Structures are given as structure tokens and as C-alpha cells.
Amino acid sequence: MSKVIKTGICSFGMSGQIFHAPFIHVNPNFEFTAVVERSKNLAKTKYPNVKVYTNIDDMVKDPELDLIVVNTPNYTHYDYTRTALEAGKHVIVEKPFTVHHQEAQELIELAASKGLLLSVYHNRRFDSDYKVVKKTIESGVLGDVIEFEVHYDRFKEELSYKKHKEEALPGTGGLYDLGSHLIDQALTIFGLPRKVWADIRIIRKDSVVDDYFELVLFYDTLRVRLKSSYLVKEPLAAYQVHGRIGSFIKSKSDIQEAQLQRGLMPDSPDWGAEAPHEWGLLHTTINGKTVKEFVPGGSGNYMDYYNGIYEAIANGAPNPVNPQDGANVVRVIEAAFESSNGGKVVNFA
């Protein structure tokens, strides 16, 4: 493999334009070599040297390419990832990894058999808000965590202009979309739960896909609540963490997506830096004294994911997001639908 990882992106919608191309472009260890655009030619205007293909099958046959980013609609993830792996390419696949857990396991086995890297783009692990929440929990200042609640809410009655997200197709809906982020964050901190309960609904008047969910993940002494609604006018704190000796309350405050939408590149000054008014509130007891203070949020950086991908491919370092983690997220989603449809708590572990 060449020193620079030559990369092809399977589509150039929002995901390709915002979450992948900028990071590949400014990272000297990567080259944005190819892209699939069936009818438009948007990538060429910003990245003149990129090769444009009209279909994925042709792009993955490009002998120059080392890495393929599968960022197409959720129901295509399995087929396109398999196609790329069978062509001998390393693969980054967007979340959710696949629609069904068994599909994910098949892809993991295929990648292993070919000695290829397969990684799931759970980029929200690299958000500033989540990073400070995880660090605070792991520091022990809250004691044993008893309750962990996360919200990913919006206020939008009208349907998305992204038609594939609003059609009743496999893998569509809020739980597969936003829920994948929340489940991955919870599992990364606490591991797999013993049981899962869920309430999954459609609340927008013209929607045909789920746009509200509440999940409860049961652990021995911990309850994790993951919630999302498209009809929340006044948002609550995104993260509410309560332990035996303290609490931590944090807003959803990562600014990377907003920066990218404004056209900033990931090598811009103060990339991903949180504003002080977004810092989280810590209220606990340390050395017998009550502490109530705001905790600096630091910076988020999705480039850490791509740096990890380079090190994994080039130097055999650990995968920044192991595909089994992505498969576990899908497994929780399947258990959540079983719970909601059956009105029951589902045994998991």
C-alpha cells in the first residue's frame, strides 16, 4: 500500500461533503481520490483532482484505491460494504453499521478473512460534549453511576428533504439514525446491558418512520435512558449523569458540524472548541467538601477518528471503532424494536 491512503467516497451528499471529504482532504496521510455522483458534479468544484464515478461497482474496481467510505442509505450498507471488501479494499461504513445484526457479523468475518480493516464511523465518540461526560464519569468524582440519561432532540414537524430518511424502508427512522449515536456512547462507557426496554413511536403528523424513542438499558445497579423526539421546542440538558456522590449536567454543545456547514475546514484555528457558556455543571463532594463548578468542555475533533484509521491501516494500531462495537449497536436496536412491538422487557446479555 502507498504511504498515502487513497480513498473513495460512495456518495457526495451531506455526509460526504461534511463528515468525510474535509477530513480526508486536509489530512496528509490521505488523498480524496474518487467519489460516486450519479447525476451531479459537486465534488469537482471543490476538489478538482477527484475522479468521479457514476456507480459504486466501478469505483471499487479502481486499483489506486486503498479505502472505501460507505456513506449511502442505511439499507445499502451491507451490500456496498461487502462489495468493497470483496474488491480488496479497507472500509469505513457509516452508522448504523447494517440493518440487521447478522449482516454485521458476516461482514466482520469477511474482513477478517481477507486481512482488511473494517470500521464503523461512530463519529459522535469524538464530540466535545461526550468526551467531557465520559472523562468525568471515569474520573470517579460522581462515585458509582446510578443513572445516565441522554437526549438527542429536535423541533421539526416537517419531513426532511432527504427522501431516503423519510421512506418506510429497512433501517430508516430516528432509532437507526440518531439512536445509533446514543447507544454507541452508552455502550462505550458501560458495556452491554442485561435487559432492554423501549417505546418507539411516530409523532409527526405526516411521518411514516419512527421519530420518537425512549430506551432503557438495564445494568446491575445502573439504568441508562436514551431519548429522542422531533417535537421538543425547549431542549433539556443533553446529558444528565447521577452517581452516589454527585451529578454532572451537560448540554449538547459540539460545534464541529456547524463549523463544517459554514465551510470551515478541520485545520481551522480553534477547531471544535466549546464556548464557556456550554461547559457542564459538576455538583459533587470531593475530600469531604461540596464542589459545585463548571467543567471546561475542551474540543471535539473527528480528525482523531481518521488519524486512528491511518495508524490502524499503516501501522497495525487498534481500530478507532471496532466493527463489533457497531454490530452491538445494531443488536440493541433490534432488541429495542422487539421490546416496543411486544410491550415487554427483552433479555439481552
Side-chain angles (χ1 to χ4, degrees):
M1 190 193 71
S2 59
K3 180 180 179 182
V4 174
I5 297 174
K6 295 188 176 184
T7 305
I9 300 179
C10 286
S11 70
F12 204 65
M14 178 186 174
S15 172
Q17 294 177 41
I18 299 296
F19 292 114
H20 294 289
F23 295 92
I24 294 166
H25 178 66
V26 304
N27 191 320
N29 294 316
F30 291 85
E31 175 186 286
F32 182 19
T33 305
V35 67
V36 174
E37 289 195 84
R38 290 179 172 80
S39 57
K40 299 179 181 179
N41 215 8
L42 300 176
K44 274 282 188 184
T45 62
K46 193 164 187 177
Y47 308 100
N49 295 324
V50 71
K51 291 187 283 187
V52 179
Y53 290 90
T54 58
N55 65 79
I56 290 169
D57 287 336
D58 285 344
M59 186 178 73
V60 299
K61 294 174 186 175
D62 187 332
E64 277 198 289
L65 295 178
D66 306 302
L67 172 68
I68 301 294
V69 177
V70 176
N71 60 326
T72 49
N74 298 344
Y75 65 89
T76 68
H77 286 184
Y78 172 77
D79 287 338
Y80 291 160
T81 300
R82 173 172 283 279
T83 296
L85 290 171
E86 289 177 340
K89 311 300 185 185
H90 302 290
V91 178
I92 293 170
V93 57
E94 274 277 7
K95 62 80 199 164
F97 185 178
T98 53
V99 175
H100 302 294
H101 174 254
Q102 184 56 44
E103 295 174 329
Q105 293 302 143
E106 290 178 18
L107 294 175
I108 290 170
E109 292 172 11
L110 177 60
S113 71
K114 290 181 169 290
L116 295 168
L117 178 114
L118 173 60
S119 186
V120 183
Y121 189 65
H122 276 298
N123 61 311
R124 298 297 179 179
R125 293 187 185 186
F126 304 90
D127 280 353
S128 59
D129 41 40
Y130 172 69
K131 287 169 64 178
V132 73
V133 167
K134 184 172 184 286
K135 182 178 179 181
T136 299
I137 291 171
E138 292 176 346
S139 74
V141 296
L142 305 178
D144 293 335
V145 175
I146 303 301
E147 186 175 8
F148 179 78
E149 183 167 324
V150 192
H151 288 249
Y152 200 150
D153 297 320
R154 293 174 172 173
F155 186 73
K156 193 173 184 181
E157 179 79 67
E158 63 272 19
L159 303 186
S160 172
Y161 69 92
K162 302 174 186 176
K163 300 299 184 183
H164 67 273
K165 289 197 171 187
E166 298 290 2
E167 297 178 355
L169 297 169
T172 57
L175 184 57
Y176 273 101
D177 184 19
L178 304 181
S180 291
H181 291 307
L182 304 189
I183 295 167
D184 179 67
Q185 290 184 346
L187 299 189
T188 301
I189 297 176
F190 302 112
L192 296 176
R194 292 189 298 106
K195 299 179 181 181
V196 175
W197 173 89
D199 177 24
I200 305 166
R201 297 191 284 149
I202 297 173
I203 58 174
R204 293 173 299 164
K205 59 186 178 183
D206 296 322
S207 180
V208 296
V209 301
D210 60 275
D211 45 26
Y212 171 97
F213 64 79
E214 178 179 3
L215 269 62
V216 179
L217 309 183
F218 293 77
Y219 298 80
D220 288 341
T221 59
L222 164 71
R223 295 294 180 268
V224 170
R225 292 181 173 84
L226 309 176
K227 301 184 69 175
S228 176
S229 170
Y230 275 54
L231 294 178
V232 176
K233 185 76 168 180
E234 183 63 31
L236 301 171
Y239 297 90
Q240 303 170 50
V241 192
H242 305 290
R244 291 194 180 277
I245 60 175
S247 297
F248 188 61
I249 311 298
K250 182 75 180 72
S251 63
K252 184 169 179 54
S253 52
D254 189 88
I255 64 172
Q256 292 179 85
E257 184 173 344
Q259 289 179 314
L260 291 160
Q261 289 174 334
R262 294 201 307 269
L264 296 179
M265 297 298 278
D267 54 357
S268 302
D270 298 322
W271 178 258
E274 275 195 6
H277 72 272
E278 297 283 13
W279 291 356
L281 176 63
L282 174 66
H283 188 181
T284 190
T285 301
I286 299 177
N287 296 326
K289 295 183 179 180
T290 297
V291 173
K292 191 172 185 180
E293 63 185 15
F294 290 96
V295 178
S299 298
N301 197 348
Y302 303 148
M303 189 63 82
D304 290 344
Y305 174 83
Y306 267 102
N307 287 335
I309 289 293
Y310 176 78
E311 290 299 325
I313 293 175
N315 299 314
N319 191 331
V321 179
N322 190 294
Q324 189 61 55
D325 293 350
N328 288 339
V329 169
V330 176
R331 188 175 160 220
V332 171
I333 290 173
E334 290 183 323
F337 277 108
E338 181 184 351
S339 169
S340 185
N341 293 338
K344 61 183 179 181
V345 175
V346 174
N347 289 325
F348 189 84

